[in-house]
Amino acid sequence: MIPTRALVLLILIAVPTLIFLAAGSYAIWADGSLGWVWWLITGCGLAALGVARVWRPATAAGRTEHHLNAGSHWTPRDQQAGQVVRDYQLRVDAFTAEQLTDPHFYVGQVQSLALDVTRVYHPEARDPMANLTVPEVLAAVRLAVDDMERWMLESVPGSRMLTIRHWRMLRSAPTWMERLSETAWGASMLLNPLNVVRYLASKWSWDSVSVQVQSEILGVVYLQFMRQVGMYLIEMNSGRLRGGADAYRATFHGRSNDKAGAELAPPITLTLVGQAGAGKSSLINLLTGTAQPEQDVLPQTEEVVRYRWTAGEPPCSLTLLDTPGYGEEGASKAQQRQISQALKESDATLLVMDGHSPAREADRKLLEEIQTYFQTRPRLRPPPVIGVLTHIDLLSPTLEWSPPYDWRTLASPKAKSIHDAVDFAAGLFGNALVRVVPVCSDNRPGRAWGISEELLPAIVGVLDDARAAALLRGFETQLDRDRWQVLVRQLKQGGQALLQSLMEKRLAPRRGNTDVP
């Protein structure tokens, strides 16, 4: 949208000019109303100057509605590229009107931005853009152009009448407005020399205000243009456009009526990992209300089992994967294979840890393996990991157990022990955990605590991130699964077109030599 400030100033500038042109300068002079018209023009000019000084223009950093925001499905590498785009947007205040109305300037900006964004994805490549496919580039161009067209039609007043000639006129708008104004003032001063005072007041106000309005309008167009181009450069380099613009929109924007988006977003999978004895099974019992597994989850595993669970408001269907518990020294090779297979299907993870045990090395190694897995697969979004501290009833003083506990305010010795355990785990694992929550998963009456108070809100809080991870994983799987089918279809269509062309060439000479009786 055009900034409200620019619209107000534009109206203050345009009103007296339109009145003057509509009424006609001669008619006004002949009627004896020239004086109040000049006062109207001068008054609007002074009002515009006052508004411009009190209502300061927003800088590029302040025009947040036009900033590039991270997509919900973006990976950490995409977010890094997004910062590159935002840096380009912040440069708008340094550009002149001549640059912002020159098509060649925008072409140069796009080329420079495309190279810088691509380098984020291929930092060591000599030619980082060489591996992009032609369909990806075409899809990025199409999506950016479509979005800019929609923005111009919906958000820019009078855009349906805006021509290239009008756009070029914005470059010199303050200049021709100044010339028009001086011509009118020159004529008025011949009729009344006292108008020189009004002329000086008008010139003092109009010049600076018209330049500010010009800069704001052109700046908004540049910001929006770089936002759309930058977003689709990121989608292009991420590989999400290799299936074409239609497949991308159907999945991430819901602009298609087909069922691709629904099919690519399977129910959220929540994986529980942790050491043996950490309390995963009892935790699942409390979450699901039953310990009966639905079925073996994966053919490659023997101990990973699946549970169905519904959480959140509105209700969201989740699949819980209970993985085999590993020892303090870490998981065995068989357990590693099973846990790794489960994590490949995971959209969010619960790292279950015994709250009164200091043994965390095996958990730290597991988190490193998860991070390494997704670092080597940057097209996937890492699932959020919640740390769950169990057995907090065994923290000192062990005989004190009278939940609920306000452990954030250290209201009692037990609350302080819970706070210290949570703080230690959060500091040990850092950003690898989005949150650490304390629970007691003892099934005995009066012992369970923290499930509805701490764990459920934490799980609901990461559902959006988990959905994004599931959507992106499903989309990548779909593209990889369909690539051979697409290739076969392309070869079939290409072969049919070639055969038809050959047949037409062979039949053409015969048709040309046919004698008509």
Side-chain angles (χ1 to χ4, degrees), residues 3 36 53 74 97 129 134 155 163-164 172 192 196 220 231 295 328 347 351 414 420 424 442 465 478 492:
W36 71 262
R53 290 195 171 183
W74 278 10
M129 303 184 71
V134 173
S155 303
T163 66
I164 298 298
S172 55
N192 184 359
V196 67
V220 166
M231 179 172 65
Q295 63 183 55
E328 294 183 5
D347 307 309
L351 176 59
K414 175 71 81 171
D420 292 344
F424 174 76
D442 195 329
D465 289 338
Q478 182 71 29
K492 180 179 178 181

Side-chain angles (χ1 to χ4, degrees), residues 83-100:
Q83 185 57 52
V84 174
V85 178
R86 286 188 284 271
D87 290 342
Y88 268 78
Q89 289 184 297
L90 294 177
R91 301 175 187 176
V92 64
D93 292 331
F95 299 140
T96 65
E98 287 75 13
Q99 290 175 302
L100 293 176

Side-chain angles (χ1 to χ4, degrees), residues 20 28 64 73 117 156 192 197 208 251 265 300 308 416 420:
F20 183 81
I28 294 174
T64 55
H73 58 278
V117 169
V156 179
N192 184 359
V197 178
S208 62
T251 303
Q300 297 91 336
R308 284 292 183 186
K416 184 179 186 308
D420 292 344

Side-chain angles (χ1 to χ4, degrees), residues 4-28:
T4 306
R5 176 184 182 276
L7 286 176
V8 171
L9 295 176
L10 194 59
I11 291 172
L12 289 172
I13 293 173
V15 165
T17 304
L18 293 175
I19 291 176
F20 183 81
L21 293 176
S25 57
Y26 176 78
I28 294 174

